[in-house]
Amino acid sequence: MSDHQGTEPQPTPYPSGWEADVVLRDGGTVHIRPIIPADADRLTSFHQRQSAESIYYRYFSARPRLTQKDLVHLTHIDYVDRVAFVALLGDELVGVGRYERWGDRPSAEVAFFIDDAHAQRGLASVFLEYLVAAARERGLATFTASVLPDNSKMLTVFSTAGFEVSRTFADGVIEVSFDLHPTPDAEAARERREATAAAASVRRLFTPTSVAVIGAGSTPGSLGHEVLYNLLAQRFTGTVWAVNERTDVIGGLPAYRTILDIPSDVDLAVIATPAERVADSVELCVRKHVKAVVILTAGFSETGPEGADLEAEVVATARRGGVRVLGPNCLGLVNTDPSVRLHASFAPTAPLPGNVGILAQSGTLGAAIIDRTRRVGLGVSSFVAAGNRADIGASDLMRYWCDEPQTSGVMLYLESFGRIERFVRAARALTATKPVVAVAAGSYLSASPLTKAEAASGLDAGPDAGARLRQRIAGAVFRQTGIIRVGTLHQLLDVGRLLATQGIPQGIGVTVLGNSGGALDLAIGECAAAGLSVVAARRLSWRADADAYAEALDQALTNDGSASVLVVHAPPELRPNPAVNDVILDAAVRHPDKVIAACNFDAADVFGLHRGDLTVPVYEFPEHAARAMGRLAGYWAWTLARATSEGPNEDPIAEATAQGQVEGIESRSELVGRLARALLAKHGPGDLPIGAEDALLEAAGVPISPRVVVDDPDQAAAAADALGYPVAVKGATRDRVLRSEAGGVSLDLHDPSAVEDAAVRLVERFGAGATPLVVQRMIDRGVDVAVTFRRRTGVTTLTVGMGGVFADEDDALLGVLPASTTDLSMLVGATEVGRQLGRVAGTEYLVEVVASLAALMEAAPEVTALVANPIIAGRHGVSLSDVVIELSEPPQEDLAARRLDLDPEG
C-alpha cells in the first residue's frame, strides 16, 4: 500500500447551500439546485420535449436524443471546475445552466438550455446569476460563451446582465466573454430583475380572471361562506368556483369535489379548509397549475413548532409547483379596480374604491382599518391582511405598488420588517415615487437585536434593552427609507385621508385661518410642532361669513410661500354653513397645486367636503389636520433632500467595488473579503491584534494614521524616526478610559528621547499590559468621532456619535445597512458631530470614510463588529486613530444569488 494513499484529494461534497426557490419574471417560482446523476431520466425527458431549433442552438448540431455517454457527462459534475444547475417545476426539469472550466485557466465556458414551454420567463438570467456566484466562489474570473448569430434571446441575456461584455465574430459564431467581478451595473440589473419578479408574483394575487374557494360553505359566519359571499356580492368580474366535497350546490353555484374537477383554468385559489387538510389542498392546486393561493385558515406557525413545520411544508409544496402563497392565517385581499372587483376576504366591510394601497400585518386590525376607511370616506385601491407572511410579505407588496397605476400612496400597519435588507431596498424604491405612511407595533419589528456579546455583558441592561434597540432600529429604517411614521391608527387614517384627497404639499409653509382664536392658537402651535413653517395666520371675526373666508383663502392661496392652508370654521351656535363649505371647495378648484384641509366645529358629522371628484378632508380638531400636513410636508422635504444630494452612484458598496476593479484585477470588495478570511484563519475568532487590521482597512480605502507596533521601549524611538514627528505612544490595552485617564497614552512627542521616556513610563506603570506598544504619527486636531458597526440577528447596525473617552454607543444616532451614500450623509448631518463639522467643512470627508467602512462590512461577513474610535475629522480630512475589528466564523452562507427565504418575515 502506498504511503501517500491517504492524501488523495476528496471529492467536493454536494453544495446544499446552492439550492433555492426563485421567483421568475412572470411571478411563478421554480426550484434551483445543482444537477445530480439521478437527473438523467429528467434530462432525457426534457431533451425530447425541445424543438429541433432549440437543440441546434444549444449543441450547434442536430441531436435528437442524448446517448448514455452524454447523460453521464452532463449529470456527473465535480461542483468546482464543472458545475450545472437545473430548474425544477414540481418533478419536471424545465431548464439547465452549466459552466465547464478551460483547463487550468480561471475561465469557463457557460451555456443554458431552457424548455421551449418556459421561454421568456427569465430562467436563463437566473441560471447566469447562479453560475456567476458559483464560479466566483470557486475562484474563476471569466466566462465565455459561443452563440449563433440568430440566437438573439441568448445574446440579450448576456447584454442585459450588467457585465462589460466583449464580442468577436469568427467562423459563423459570436464569441462572448466577460469578467465575473461584481459591477454596479450587474448588481443593479440583478435587483431590477428581482423587483420585477416580486411585483409579478403579487400581481397574480390581485388580478385573477378566475377564483376557486376551497372549503366554500353554506353556513353564515364560516370562512368559506363569507369569502364566497363577498366575491359574489362585490361582483368579481371573473369566474367564481366553489369547491366542497360534501354538497353539489353552494350559494347558487355548482360545487366541485376537488379543484381538479373544475372544468376550466383557475388563477387564484382561496383555501378555507381545516389546517390539517391545507397541505393536500395546496398539492391539488399545484397539480391544477393554479398561479397563486390565499390561505385563510389558522393553526400554523402562530400556534407553535408543530404548526410552523406544517406551514413550512405547505409553502415548500407551493413553491416547488410554481405557486406563491398569501398567509396562512390571513384575512385575505381586496382589489377595488372596476375591471377586477376582487374581494377575496372574509372582512365584513367592503372598502370604497380609491387610490391608497393598504397592508395590515394583523387580520383583526386589518378588518377594523377597512371598516374605518369606509366610515371616513378614504378610498382604497388594494388591501392585504397578510397573516403569518410565510411567503409573500411587505417587501413583495411594496415592489408591486411601485408601478401599480391605481395606487398613489400606501398605508402600512407593521408588526415585523422581515429581512430588513429586503425591506429597506423595497421601501426605498417605493418611496422614491409614492408616499408610504406606517404605524408600527414597535416591540416586535426586529427579532433578537442584541448581539451575543451585548446580552452576555449586560450592555444596556434591563428587561427593555431589546425593545429599546428595536425601536432605534425601526426609527433608522423609517428614516432611511422615507416612510412617514405615525404613532397611532387614528393618525394613520388622518394622514391617509389628506394624502388620498389632496396629495403632497410642495413645501413646508402653511397658512392658518379661521374665526376661532383659541382653535387658531392651537393649530399654529401644532403646525410648528409638526415641522411646518407658519407663514401667515388670518384671524377672522367670530361672525365671519362666506365672503370673509373667500377673501382670506384667496390671499392665502396666492402666497407663494404657503404650500398648505388649514381652515378653521366655528359657526355660531355650531350650525353647518354650506356657503362657507362652498367657498372652501371653490378655492380648492382654483388652486389644485395647494393642499387644503378643514376643521369644522359644527354639528355635521362629516369627514370631507365633496364636489365631483374633488374632496377637501375635514378633521375633528385642528391638531389632527396640522399633524397630517406636517407628516406629508416632511416627506416632501425628505424627497427634496435626496434629490439634491444624490450623486451618480448612490450605492457605497457598488462604488467601492467599482473603484477597485481595473483591467481584470480583483475588485476592492473581493480583496477585502479575501483578506478577512485570511485574517480569521490566521488569528481565529475574536478581536484582531493591534496592527493586524491595517491591511484590511487599506484594502477598503479607509485612511488610518500611520503607526508601528513595537515590542519594547528600545524599538519605539526607531519607529518614531521612521514615521516622522510628532508622534503618540500608546499601550496595547483596548480599554480607552484606562488609556486616556490613567496615562495609557502620551501625545505630541517631538524627539527620540521623549518617545523612549514615554514608552518606559508606560511599561513601568502597566507592566505586560502595556506591550506591545503602538507608535503613531500625530493627527491634526479636529472633532473626535466614534463609528460602530455591529452584525446582529437579521440586521447590521451602525452608529455615529461623539468619540474619545466619553463615546456612548447608546447615545449615538443609529442607522442600518444597506445604506446609500445619501443615507449616510443625512445620518452624519443629523448628529452633534455633523453639526460641529458643518462649521469647519469636514462632513463630506467623514461620510466617505463611513461609506468605506460600510462597504467593508458588506464585503466581509467575517467581521462581526467594527469600532472606529476616535476618528479625527476636520478641515484636513479624516483619519482613524484607532479601530477594533472583531472576527468570527460567518453563518453558513447560501450562494450569493437571489432566492426566496425559507422564513421571509421571521
Side-chain angles (χ1 to χ4, degrees):
M1 183 180 291
S2 168
D3 292 339
H4 300 287
Q5 186 170 349
T7 63
E8 289 293 323
Q10 297 297 309
T12 302
Y14 177 82
S16 58
W18 290 7
E19 291 195 33
D21 296 318
V22 178
V23 185
L24 301 181
R25 183 188 301 150
D26 63 355
T29 60
V30 292
H31 186 65
I32 300 291
R33 64 160 171 79
I35 202 167
I36 55 177
D39 288 323
D41 289 344
R42 295 186 184 92
L43 190 59
T44 298
S45 176
F46 165 84
H47 188 89
Q48 291 171 348
R49 294 197 307 271
Q50 309 316 312
S51 66
E53 181 185 56
S54 295
I55 292 172
Y56 189 81
Y57 280 155
R58 170 61 183 90
Y59 295 108
F60 292 11
S61 65
R63 188 177 294 192
R65 67 186 59 85
L66 296 175
T67 67
Q68 185 61 32
K69 183 178 179 181
D70 290 334
L71 290 171
V72 171
H73 175 77
L74 294 173
T75 60
H76 289 69
I77 59 175
D78 61 11
Y79 309 116
V80 179
D81 295 332
R82 298 183 62 246
V83 169
F85 289 94
V86 295
L88 298 174
L89 186 57
D91 197 47
E92 186 175 78
L93 193 154
V94 296
V96 186
R98 65 177 62 246
Y99 76 70
E100 301 211 12
R101 186 168 183 164
W102 293 102
D104 293 330
R105 290 183 290 164
S107 178
E109 183 177 28
V110 64
F112 317 108
F113 199 0
I114 309 302
D115 194 317
D116 291 338
H118 295 271
Q120 305 301 319
R121 300 188 69 197
L123 263 173
S125 295
V126 171
F127 280 133
L128 183 59
E129 286 183 28
Y130 273 74
L131 290 167
V132 166
R136 287 176 184 159
E137 194 168 297
R138 298 312 191 208
L140 299 183
T142 306
F143 269 171
T144 65
S146 299
V147 186
L148 292 173
D150 56 347
N151 191 353
S152 58
K153 295 177 183 177
M154 198 54 56
L155 292 171
T156 300
V157 169
F158 293 120
S159 64
T160 59
F163 297 99
E164 295 182 8
V165 177
S166 64
R167 300 185 185 188
T168 59
F169 183 77
D171 300 325
V173 175
I174 297 175
E175 297 292 342
V176 175
S177 66
F178 55 93
D179 288 338
L180 303 183
H181 301 305
T183 68
D185 288 344
E187 293 303 307
R190 188 178 81 167
E191 184 171 345
R192 283 195 301 271
R193 290 192 295 269
E194 186 173 3
T196 298
S201 66
V202 176
R203 194 172 297 113
R204 288 180 165 208
L205 284 168
F206 279 117
T207 58
T209 59
S210 58
V211 178
V213 179
I214 302 176
S218 56
T219 304
S222 67
L223 298 185
H225 175 275
E226 296 304 311
V227 69
L228 183 66
Y229 173 83
N230 286 335
L231 284 165
L232 297 174
Q234 299 304 317
R235 297 178 296 119
F236 172 56
T237 58
T239 305
V240 179
W241 305 94
V243 177
N244 187 308
E245 62 183 15
R246 294 193 180 96
T247 186
D248 295 326
V249 178
I250 293 180
L253 297 177
Y256 297 88
R257 294 293 185 265
T258 74
I259 193 170
L260 296 179
D261 298 321
I262 293 175
S264 182
D265 292 339
V266 175
D267 291 335
L268 176 67
V270 182
I271 297 178
T273 64
E276 63 272 13
R277 299 180 59 186
V278 168
D280 291 338
S281 296
V282 170
E283 177 63 40
L284 294 178
C285 289
V286 168
R287 290 171 57 188
K288 184 66 177 178
H289 303 296
V290 169
K291 294 179 180 178
V293 167
V294 178
I295 303 175
L296 306 179
T297 310
F300 292 89
S301 60
E302 79 279 6
T303 65
E306 290 185 7
D309 290 343
L310 179 59
E311 182 172 291
E313 176 191 347
V314 166
V315 172
T317 299
R319 287 179 178 176
R320 300 296 169 86
V323 178
R324 297 300 303 272
V325 175
L326 179 68
N329 185 33
C330 75
L331 185 69
L333 74 156
V334 176
N335 182 358
T336 65
D337 186 331
S339 66
V340 181
R341 294 199 300 268
L342 175 70
H343 193 116
S345 168
F346 60 92
T349 304
L352 296 171
N355 60 353
V356 174
I358 299 177
L359 164 64
Q361 290 183 343
S362 164
T364 302
L365 285 178
I369 290 170
I370 285 296
D371 180 71
R372 187 64 180 175
T373 61
R374 190 173 185 94
R375 289 175 57 194
V376 301
L378 173 57
V380 174
S381 61
S382 51
F383 164 82
V384 179
N388 292 1
R389 306 177 298 283
D391 184 22
I392 288 177
S395 300
D396 302 294
L397 288 158
M398 287 190 290
R399 292 293 191 186
Y400 166 76
W401 279 317
C402 279
D403 299 315
E404 205 285 303
Q406 305 296 325
T407 301
S408 58
V410 172
M411 292 165 45
L412 306 175
Y413 168 76
L414 296 174
E415 294 177 348
S416 167
F417 290 128
R419 276 187 56 192
I420 287 182
E421 177 183 354
R422 288 188 69 226
F423 184 94
V424 167
R425 294 190 187 281
R428 187 181 288 145
L430 179 56
T431 57
T433 57
K434 299 178 181 181
V436 179
V437 192
V439 63
S443 296
Y444 303 99
L445 283 170
S446 59
S448 305
L450 291 178
T451 65
K452 291 181 180 179
E454 288 171 337
S457 65
L459 176 68
D460 196 18
D464 297 327
R468 288 198 297 272
L469 185 53
R470 288 185 184 96
Q471 285 289 348
R472 294 178 71 199
I473 291 172
V477 170
F478 291 135
R479 184 176 61 249
Q480 288 176 211
T481 59
I483 290 177
I484 304 164
R485 187 177 190 180
V486 295
T488 66
L489 291 173
H490 196 293
Q491 292 172 7
L492 182 73
L493 292 166
D494 283 344
V495 178
R497 287 201 293 137
L498 188 62
L499 167 63
T501 58
Q502 292 288 299
I504 303 298
Q506 300 302 296
I508 62 171
V510 61
T511 295
V512 181
L513 62 90
N515 66 341
S516 169
L520 248 63
D521 289 339
L522 181 62
I524 291 169
E526 288 295 335
C527 284
L532 296 169
S533 173
V534 180
V535 298
R538 291 293 308 278
R539 298 178 184 274
L540 305 178
S541 165
W542 67 275
R543 291 181 296 181
D545 58 10
D547 290 339
Y549 272 96
E551 179 184 357
L553 276 166
D554 185 63
Q555 292 180 3
L557 292 168
T558 55
N559 184 339
D560 292 338
S562 182
S564 306
V565 176
L566 174 53
V567 182
V568 178
H569 181 221
E573 300 179 5
L574 301 183
R575 292 176 180 173
N577 189 331
V580 171
N581 293 343
D582 285 341
V583 163
I584 296 172
L585 287 168
D586 290 342
V589 170
R590 291 196 306 272
H591 298 276
D593 57 325
K594 300 295 179 77
V595 169
I596 302 176
C599 172
N600 273 354
F601 288 103
D602 58 28
D605 186 17
V606 298
F607 294 95
L609 309 177
H610 307 285
R611 179 180 295 170
D613 293 334
L614 174 67
T615 296
V616 174
V618 175
Y619 292 88
E620 186 177 11
F621 296 110
E623 61 266 29
H624 298 163
R627 290 183 197 133
M629 284 181 167
R631 293 294 200 280
L632 292 180
Y635 169 76
W636 171 86
W638 180 85
T639 57
L640 181 65
R642 292 193 68 84
T644 55
S645 62
E646 284 179 355
N649 196 332
E650 261 296 282
D651 187 341
I653 314 307
E655 186 172 353
T657 296
Q659 288 172 352
Q661 184 178 320
V662 181
E663 297 180 356
I665 300 173
E666 68 181 335
S667 67
R668 177 173 288 173
S669 62
E670 290 173 316
L671 176 58
V672 167
R674 180 169 59 80
L675 288 174
R677 290 189 293 273
L679 288 168
L680 178 60
K682 180 178 180 180
H683 299 284
D687 292 351
L688 284 174
I690 293 178
E693 64 277 302
D694 289 5
L696 189 61
L697 294 169
E698 181 181 358
V702 178
I704 188 163
S705 181
R707 58 184 180 173
V708 177
V709 180
V710 299
D711 293 326
D712 55 57
D714 293 339
Q715 299 173 357
D721 287 338
L723 288 170
Y725 294 95
V727 298
V729 176
K730 313 173 188 179
T733 176
R734 291 293 195 183
D735 188 327
R736 176 157 306 282
V737 175
L738 180 64
R739 268 198 205 173
S740 300
E741 295 191 354
V745 60
S746 296
L747 303 174
D748 210 21
L749 307 174
H750 287 264
D751 56 63
S753 62
V755 170
E756 189 170 350
D757 289 345
V760 169
R761 286 197 303 272
L762 283 172
V763 172
E764 289 176 347
R765 183 160 191 174
F766 297 109
T771 56
L773 297 166
V774 181
V775 183
Q776 187 170 38
R777 185 185 299 163
M778 285 292 295
I779 303 170
D780 292 342
R781 292 185 180 276
V783 178
D784 282 8
V785 185
V787 176
T788 300
F789 292 84
R790 296 197 185 277
R791 214 175 290 282
R792 306 176 185 278
T793 302
V795 63
T796 298
T797 60
L798 70 148
T799 57
V800 178
M802 298 301 296
V805 177
F806 300 106
D808 187 345
E809 196 175 333
D810 287 340
D811 288 339
L813 190 59
L814 184 140
V816 298
L817 297 185
S820 68
T821 304
T822 298
D823 292 334
L824 297 176
S825 179
M826 296 172 77
L827 177 71
V828 170
T831 64
E832 178 60 29
V833 165
R835 287 187 284 272
Q836 290 192 27
L837 287 175
R839 294 192 286 269
V840 295
T843 306
E844 65 273 18
Y845 302 122
L846 179 59
V847 171
E848 289 176 6
V849 169
V850 176
S852 294
L853 291 173
L856 185 157
M857 293 295 297
E858 292 279 5
E862 295 78 10
V863 178
T864 304
L866 187 154
V867 181
N869 181 24
I871 300 174
I872 312 298
R875 290 192 185 90
H876 57 81
V878 175
S879 290
L880 270 70
S881 173
D882 193 17
V883 62
V884 180
I885 293 179
E886 178 188 349
L887 300 181
S888 68
E889 288 288 348
Q892 181 63 41
E893 285 292 317
D894 296 324
L895 205 61
R898 58 174 151 146
R899 62 180 53 232
L900 282 170
D901 300 321
L902 294 176
D903 187 17
E905 296 285 329

